[in-house]
Amino acid sequence: QFFEVPFDSNMNRTKNRPLVRGQISPLLAVCFAASCGVPGIALLTLGVNPLTGALGAFNIFLYTCCYTPMKRMSIANTWVGAVVGAIPPVMGWTAATGSLDAGALLLGGILYSWQFPHFNALSWGLREDYSRGGYCMMSVTHPALCRRVALRHCLALIGLSTLAPVLDITTWTFPIISLPINLYISYLGFRFYRDADRNSSRKLFFCSLWHLPMLLLVMFTCKKSFLEKEDKGDLLGGNHGRAMEIRLP
């Protein structure tokens, strides 16, 4: 918000922000941001693990120094912003496991794809506002691409849900149970792609608000337990040991 005061003042949805109205000084805003960001990264690094702290620091840098200026330069900002939104669940995984493995990447992938129907549908109704603010959003400069990308990532959620049991993160019940809600958001994504109006974009946006928590709740319910994985590993290890014993004279 510190960087975008002149542009926020031209948009209806942001013109009442404290910095725009002068309720908070730019110096106070920067000091508040630093007082949250620096101790936050330190707590993650020292209290959780360095990997999670590094991801948090990288995300702050990516949002402020890459995504924010890109919003006025290229529609690629949406893809960069989706990476920013995908990193927090990855941090949750690394905080719990200490590793950046398949589970972390899958969670990040789900959040990454979900953001396109969510934001593209939202931005469709704010095209005039974004245009006044001088922001390069797909809905303003590439409306057909905006709708196409939203639909594409609705369908990607079905594929990512199917990938979860393949990677041994959930049971096979997850892609089955999640299929109806993934098909529904895909249907609304298709309606948005076909109709290209505020009504279809609004329905897709509001669906995205309940779709994500429900999808993650189902994923959590169907997750593979660590004990199950350990037992499977022990079983494989035991079978390997018996095979070795048979070979020994």
Side-chain angles (χ1 to χ4, degrees):
Q1 291 185 34
F2 169 79
F3 291 120
E4 296 180 327
V5 171
F7 318 117
D8 283 348
S9 62
N10 296 324
M11 299 172 60
N12 288 330
R13 75 184 190 93
T14 55
K15 65 183 181 182
N16 290 319
R17 286 178 172 175
L19 275 171
V20 176
R21 298 180 64 182
Q23 294 174 315
I24 296 175
S25 70
L27 178 61
L28 179 60
V30 172
C31 290
F32 177 75
S35 67
C36 291
V38 175
I41 294 168
L43 283 171
L44 288 173
T45 303
L46 301 175
V48 183
N49 56 57
L51 176 58
T52 306
L55 286 170
F58 174 69
N59 220 23
I60 292 175
F61 167 79
L62 193 63
Y63 191 96
T64 56
C65 300
C66 298
Y67 170 66
T68 298
M70 282 184 70
K71 287 195 288 184
R72 297 182 54 78
M73 297 165 56
S74 168
I75 61 169
N77 73 79
T78 305
W79 281 267
V80 175
V83 174
V84 172
I87 288 178
V90 175
M91 293 171 63
W93 187 279
T94 60
T97 66
S99 63
L100 194 62
D101 54 21
L105 298 178
L106 180 65
L107 278 177
I110 289 173
L111 264 290
Y112 178 83
S113 283
W114 171 85
Q115 285 172 96
F116 287 95
H118 172 74
F119 178 73
N120 287 16
L122 172 66
S123 66
W124 191 262
L126 300 171
R127 285 177 294 171
E128 295 83 2
D129 237 13
Y130 281 126
S131 183
R132 280 195 298 269
Y135 290 108
C136 295
M137 297 299 174
M138 273 189 283
S139 59
V140 178
T141 60
H142 299 74
L145 179 65
C146 175
R147 304 193 310 272
R148 192 162 61 246
V149 168
L151 174 58
R152 186 183 304 155
H153 283 276
C154 286
L155 296 172
L157 290 169
I158 300 175
L160 288 167
S161 298
T162 306
L163 194 59
V166 176
L167 297 174
D168 204 32
I169 297 165
T170 68
T171 63
W172 280 99
T173 54
F174 171 60
I176 296 171
I177 297 175
S178 63
L179 186 60
I181 61 173
N182 284 335
L183 286 176
Y184 183 64
I185 196 172
S186 297
Y187 165 73
L188 293 180
F190 173 73
R191 288 281 303 272
F192 175 50
Y193 170 76
R194 185 190 65 184
D195 299 341
D197 57 15
R198 289 181 182 271
N199 183 51
S200 60
S201 67
R202 193 179 300 113
K203 286 182 178 179
L204 178 59
F205 171 72
F206 282 112
C207 173
S208 71
L209 296 181
W210 60 258
H211 172 273
L212 180 64
M214 184 171 290
L215 182 66
L216 294 179
L217 179 62
V218 173
M219 190 178 190
F220 173 76
T221 305
C222 300
K223 71 183 178 69
K224 286 282 189 73
S225 68
F226 283 111
L227 290 176
E228 185 179 348
K229 291 180 180 180
E230 287 177 0
D231 290 343
K232 184 178 178 181
D234 291 342
L235 180 61
L236 291 174
N239 290 338
H240 178 69
R242 285 193 293 272
M244 290 296 292
E245 289 174 2
I246 293 172
R247 293 191 192 100
L248 291 175

